[in-house]
Amino acid sequence: MSDLDPQPAAPADIGVPAPPPAAVRSEMSDGEWHRLHPLSPLLRGGLTLLVIIGILIANLRDRLISFFLPEGFRWDEEDPVDFVLQNGIAVQAIVAVVVGLIVLVALFWMAWRFHTFRITGDEVEVRSGVLFRTHRRAPLDRVQGVNLTRPALARLVGLAKLEVVGAGLDANVKLEYLSTANAETVRGDILRLASGHRTKDAAARTAAGGPLTSRVTAGISEIIDGVEDDGTEAESIVRVPMSRLILAGLLSGSTISFVLVVVAVIVGLVLQPVWIVPALGASIPTAIAFGAYAVRRFVRTVRYSIAPSASGVRVTFGLLTTVTETLPPGRIHAVDVRQPLLWRWGGWYRIRINQISGRSASDTSAAQMGDVLPIGTQADVERVLRLLLPSVPIDAALLDAGLHGPAAGDGYTTSPARARVIDPLTWRRNGILVLPQAVLVRTGRLWPKLTILPLARLQSVRISQGPLDRRLGLAGLTGHTVLGPVSGTVASLDHEEAYALWNDITAAAVAAASAESVSPAADEEDAAGVDAAGAAPDTAAPVTAAPVVAPARPEDERP
């Protein structure tokens, strides 16, 4: 039975709308239940099970022989095949192997038999489990994109997996695995169906709104948060030469740390030769771990491309395992541009983001993607920022002030001179700039970093003081977003300026969130409901939340 064979419809399935035939291309998108590829159980974890069983048998063979065979048989650590032949138990051994294989095949068949999916006119559904059944649904009007992943082993047998990205925590639905041709066709079908739902929702909003402003708002929201179609992929706007990728890896912070450890070990051995054996015992595992990390990072970032799509940004990366992920601008909560110390020689930068990925917090196999641009020039950074944050006007002058400032008249609120007491290295570079669409935070001197926090995505804004800050009249500001590698904190600001900025940012965030409250993006954001700590309330009851504006503080009151 192939992955195209439908499952008989249950009585509860009667009346479920099928997708319109004009919107689908695959036989698996007909509204009926279908099974995944027969090799799916093996690729999802069966191969690991076989390896574990082999290890257990290899380590417990003495106990297994003594348990299953009479006491008269001897086991002298000889070859298992010779043992079987010499003791005349070839038939019993063959029967045991055949029974074991039959049991494994039966388990895999049961897992495949009860793992089905269907694509209807309203949602994507997946049912799995034999004893403990699960049923997951991804409503098409909540679909943010469909990621296509081709792991190395799956690519060898022509398979791929799909991940339907939903709005909310642990809202994704996975189809593991389909043939590559079926996966690409089904992906296009889901995207077209989701785009149709967005179009209907936008039309409904326009009809209900009436005024020109409502129609314009709905149109902008559709452009920003619409689901990508399956058209021809645009060409990547960034090219990363292989030589640059290798050289940047050699000049990374992990390489510096490794070199320092090697130098310390050599110096220690020269001064105290008696420590040569312990030193080698500690340095060899460290070298192996570093080599594995460097190779894994290189393999992951090679063949990188980033291009615009109908839903925002499509990022593809990976040499052995190829991943194609879609980043709608409405789901990007924070962006930072940073420059490692040794990358200044080449003028290279890295871009990281915080986004709601729809994955479970325990999903370590598909962790939230952090590096959107692994390495690029300042011109590459400008192009990528225009894709990630189309509503934020980041030009060359603004980017240069954030990465290379401070400069006279750049508009940033910076740390006063008294901040050098507690922040001697970076007090001159500390700065914050509030734009109508975002907050820009500038920090770091040896490792300069520019953080961009879209106001409509801020979860909360915090002002804080430590004992020394209070003594010096300083304060720090932090913009909270969803969990991720980006942190929007600036320290050592004048406490009066920090308080004024806190009020300004809070009011601007409320206004930006209110402006999006009538758009699909805001509805999805409310459904996600992710707070600054990464927790998510029940998505079944979305509640629009916005930062609360604190009352104005008397002039003589200290923070």
Side-chain angles (χ1 to χ4, degrees):
M1 186 176 292
S2 69
D3 58 345
L4 294 177
D5 294 329
Q7 186 178 9
D13 297 336
I14 299 176
V16 176
V24 296
R25 305 289 186 270
S26 173
E27 300 178 16
M28 308 179 78
S29 305
D30 55 1
E32 302 294 335
W33 290 101
H34 295 273
R35 297 188 180 92
L36 301 170
H37 195 277
L39 292 178
S40 297
L42 185 63
L43 295 173
R44 284 200 308 266
L47 188 60
T48 302
L49 175 63
L50 293 177
V51 172
I52 293 175
I53 292 175
I55 294 175
L56 291 177
I57 292 177
N59 288 275
L60 301 177
R61 58 183 181 180
D62 292 339
R63 295 182 179 272
L64 293 175
I65 290 294
S66 61
F67 179 80
F68 287 105
L69 297 179
E71 296 182 358
F73 290 99
R74 297 179 54 193
W75 181 260
D76 297 326
E77 298 294 334
E78 59 188 32
D79 183 76
V81 177
D82 294 338
F83 173 82
V84 169
L85 296 177
Q86 292 174 4
N87 290 275
I89 55 173
V91 176
Q92 295 91 322
I94 294 175
V95 171
V97 171
V98 171
V99 171
L101 291 177
I102 292 175
V103 170
L104 286 177
V105 171
L107 292 176
F108 290 157
W109 182 84
M110 292 286 287
W112 169 77
R113 178 69 174 76
F114 287 91
H115 197 149
T116 57
F117 77 97
R118 71 174 176 180
I119 301 171
T120 68
D122 296 325
E123 57 194 2
V124 179
E125 300 180 65
V126 175
R127 298 193 302 198
S128 61
V130 180
L131 298 179
F132 301 94
R133 300 284 290 167
T134 61
H135 191 168
R136 297 182 62 87
R137 296 179 177 178
L140 290 174
D141 58 353
R142 297 286 182 178
V143 172
Q144 302 298 301
V146 184
N147 299 333
L148 179 65
T149 305
R150 298 185 180 95
L153 186 60
R155 292 176 67 182
L156 294 177
V157 292
L159 301 183
K161 66 178 179 179
L162 295 179
E163 185 176 15
V164 182
V165 181
L169 188 64
D170 195 17
N172 291 5
V173 172
K174 298 179 181 180
L175 304 180
E176 304 176 289
Y177 287 79
L178 299 171
S179 64
T180 301
N182 282 335
E184 292 176 348
T185 308
V186 169
R187 178 175 183 264
D189 291 344
I190 296 174
L191 293 174
R192 275 190 298 273
L193 292 171
S195 297
H197 273 267
R198 294 293 178 84
T199 303
K200 288 189 294 184
D201 291 345
R205 294 175 190 273
T206 301
L212 178 62
T213 55
S214 300
R215 296 196 297 270
V216 172
T217 301
I220 294 175
S221 301
E222 183 180 357
I223 292 174
I224 294 177
D225 296 291
V227 177
E228 62 180 329
D229 56 29
D230 61 338
T232 304
E233 296 186 9
E235 185 179 359
S236 177
I237 64 171
V238 175
R239 296 292 181 184
V240 182
M242 187 67 66
S243 57
R244 181 195 300 173
L245 196 60
I246 296 174
L247 187 57
L250 295 177
L251 297 178
S252 64
S254 57
T255 303
I256 297 175
S257 303
F258 178 73
V259 171
L260 292 177
V261 170
V262 172
V263 171
V265 170
I266 294 175
V267 172
L269 293 178
V270 171
L271 298 178
Q272 296 290 339
V274 70
W275 295 103
I276 185 170
V277 175
L280 290 177
S283 59
I284 291 177
T286 303
I288 295 175
F290 170 78
Y293 169 79
V295 171
R296 183 169 60 251
R297 185 174 183 84
F298 174 79
V299 170
R300 184 182 183 276
T301 55
V302 75
R303 290 186 179 177
Y304 163 85
S305 68
I306 180 170
S309 68
S311 64
V313 183
R314 179 179 296 168
V315 182
T316 302
F317 55 88
L319 177 61
L320 301 178
T321 298
T322 303
V323 179
T324 300
E325 187 158 357
T326 302
L327 306 173
R331 309 305 291 177
I332 298 174
H333 287 237
V335 179
D336 82 18
V337 184
R338 60 183 64 191
Q339 185 179 51
L341 179 62
L342 297 183
W343 283 17
R344 293 187 180 185
W345 173 79
W348 302 324
Y349 302 88
R350 173 183 298 154
I351 296 182
R352 294 184 175 183
I353 65 170
N354 290 351
Q355 65 152 333
I356 294 180
S357 64
R359 298 184 177 112
S360 169
S362 60
D363 190 358
T364 58
S365 64
Q368 177 180 336
M369 185 173 60
D371 289 353
V372 173
L373 178 63
I375 178 173
T377 63
Q378 185 167 333
D380 296 335
V381 170
E382 292 181 35
R383 288 193 292 268
V384 172
L385 288 181
R386 282 196 289 267
L387 283 183
L388 297 178
L389 303 172
S391 62
V392 181
I394 303 292
D395 55 15
L398 195 62
L399 184 61
D400 189 72
L403 294 174
H404 306 128
D410 59 13
Y412 280 82
T413 300
T414 58
S415 300
R418 62 181 181 273
R420 72 179 69 184
V421 177
I422 59 176
D423 197 1
L425 293 179
T426 62
W427 71 273
R428 290 184 182 275
R429 249 193 68 82
N430 291 341
I432 182 171
L433 175 63
V434 182
L435 299 177
Q437 303 86 1
V439 177
L440 275 60
V441 177
R442 182 180 66 196
T443 57
R445 178 166 294 277
L446 297 180
W447 288 268
K449 182 178 69 172
L450 173 64
T451 303
I452 305 172
L453 306 175
L455 285 169
R457 302 290 175 245
L458 277 180
Q459 304 294 313
S460 64
V461 185
R462 182 183 68 191
I463 183 171
S464 58
Q465 275 188 317
L468 292 178
D469 290 330
R470 192 176 300 112
R471 180 70 177 176
L472 296 172
L474 304 175
L477 283 176
T478 301
H480 292 144
T481 68
V482 297
L483 292 179
V486 179
S487 174
T489 300
V490 59
S492 304
L493 299 174
D494 178 80
H495 71 285
E496 294 290 344
E497 293 179 341
Y499 193 84
L501 285 168
W502 180 62
N503 276 319
D504 293 343
I505 294 172
T506 305
V510 171
S514 300
E516 289 195 354
S517 62
V518 297
S519 68
D523 294 342
E524 291 160 2
E525 201 64 36
D526 296 337
V530 179
D531 58 14
D538 186 3
T539 59
V543 178
T544 302
V548 179
V549 181
R553 185 193 59 176
E555 291 296 327
D556 58 346
E557 182 181 353
R558 301 182 67 85

